[in-house]
Amino acid sequence: ETGVTQSPTHLIKTRGQQVTLRCSSQSGHNTVSWYQQALGQGPQFIFQYYREEENGRGNFPPRFSGLQFPNYSSELNVNALELDDSALYLCASSLASLQETQYFGPGTRLLVL
Amino acid sequence: AQSVTQLDSHVSVSEGTPVLLRCNYSSSYSPSLFWYVQHPNKGLQLLLKYTSAATLVKGINGFEAEFKKSETSFHLTKPSAHMSDAAEYFCVVSDLSFQKLVFGTGTRLLVSP
């Protein structure tokens, strides 16, 4: 069974640029959630995708957007990067059930200069 | 809305002594509760979860947690700490509208020889 993978592992961008982060979900999982973890804090929910549709969104501006593909992999796109976007971005996959566990990938560490 | 409060930002123990990490939750209905662990520069790993079955939940690596509705608590314990237990621990509640996870601020566990 393949776990959740994310790419790239690290990324450096400058303010105003755009970035795309990628996530491959665990085999058999149809739901992907994205979280932002700023340094020294707990992860914050960005949004969730289920069967290629956004299924819920946290308190993040529209410049944070996402996609889910037919194979259930996912992308997180962030436009007009700001310094405060520097964080660890975590992807989690699961089955679409309220009691199902979310399995996390290792994350992508984004630094915005 | 669901929320969790982790009562200690840091906990220090000696190897071989018991571990207690405290978490209180707030929920308008019976919640799903989780403990995740994050080792330095790693993703999040599920330790255990409570989903309204047995109130004493056993997890991996000797950890367990007890759901106490009357105290709205879900404290994490381990009888004997290992050096490898040193990490950040997150208490998490699941939003019932979809699978949004709401994280606490984390407790850093330090284990000394």
Side-chain angles (χ1 to χ4, degrees):
Chain A
E1 186 177 85
T2 306
V4 180
T5 59
Q6 293 185 243
S7 62
T9 55
H10 295 81
L11 205 49
I12 300 175
K13 292 286 188 178
T14 55
R15 206 167 38 174
Q17 286 188 310
Q18 177 265 343
V19 69
T20 298
L21 310 182
R22 295 177 176 84
C23 171
S24 291
S25 59
Q26 187 165 312
S27 176
H29 286 179
N30 55 16
T31 301
V32 173
S33 303
W34 285 91
Y35 295 82
Q36 180 196 65
Q37 186 178 17
L39 200 61
Q41 298 183 22
Q44 300 288 317
F45 176 76
I46 303 174
F47 43 55
Q48 181 183 90
Y49 278 82
Y50 169 64
R51 292 188 176 178
E52 304 177 57
E53 298 282 335
E54 188 178 289
N55 188 41
R57 189 177 183 92
N59 189 26
F60 281 81
R63 59 189 185 83
F64 285 78
S65 62
L67 281 174
Q68 187 180 31
F69 300 99
N71 67 354
Y72 302 129
S73 66
S74 178
E75 287 183 355
L76 164 66
N77 297 291
V78 187
N79 293 322
L81 283 166
E82 300 177 0
L83 297 179
D84 284 348
D85 296 333
S86 296
L88 180 67
Y89 288 85
L90 295 162
C91 162
S93 76
S94 58
L95 288 170
S97 168
L98 290 176
Q99 296 187 350
E100 288 295 331
T101 299
Q102 293 191 22
Y103 294 91
F104 284 82
T108 294
R109 188 163 295 281
L110 172 65
L111 177 61
V112 182
L113 301 176
Chain B
Q2 277 66 244
S3 66
V4 288
T5 301
Q6 292 186 244
L7 300 172
D8 307 290
S9 59
H10 293 81
V11 169
S12 294
V13 300
S14 298
E15 193 174 21
T17 64
V19 175
L20 170 64
L21 305 183
R22 299 182 295 163
C23 173
N24 287 348
Y25 70 90
S26 174
S27 176
S28 50
Y29 22 72
S30 185
S32 292
L33 291 161
F34 309 79
W35 278 97
Y36 279 85
V37 62
Q38 187 173 39
H39 290 274
N41 300 315
K42 296 283 181 66
L44 291 156
Q45 181 184 21
L46 178 72
L47 280 179
L48 50 82
K49 68 177 181 180
Y50 166 78
T51 54
S52 72
T55 56
L56 183 61
V57 182
K58 294 189 183 298
I60 62 171
N61 300 335
F63 284 94
E64 63 181 37
E66 187 171 7
F67 175 75
K68 291 187 176 180
K69 187 175 181 179
S70 60
E71 299 175 11
T72 62
S73 68
F74 189 59
H75 301 334
L76 181 70
T77 60
K78 182 174 181 177
S80 176
H82 267 224
M83 295 296 292
S84 60
D85 294 329
E88 189 87 17
Y89 291 79
F90 292 97
C91 181
V92 184
V93 64
S94 178
D95 188 290
L96 290 188
S97 60
F98 49 92
Q99 287 184 22
K100 167 186 174 182
L101 297 182
V102 178
F103 285 76
T105 51
T107 297
R108 182 164 298 277
L109 177 64
L110 306 168
V111 183
S112 56

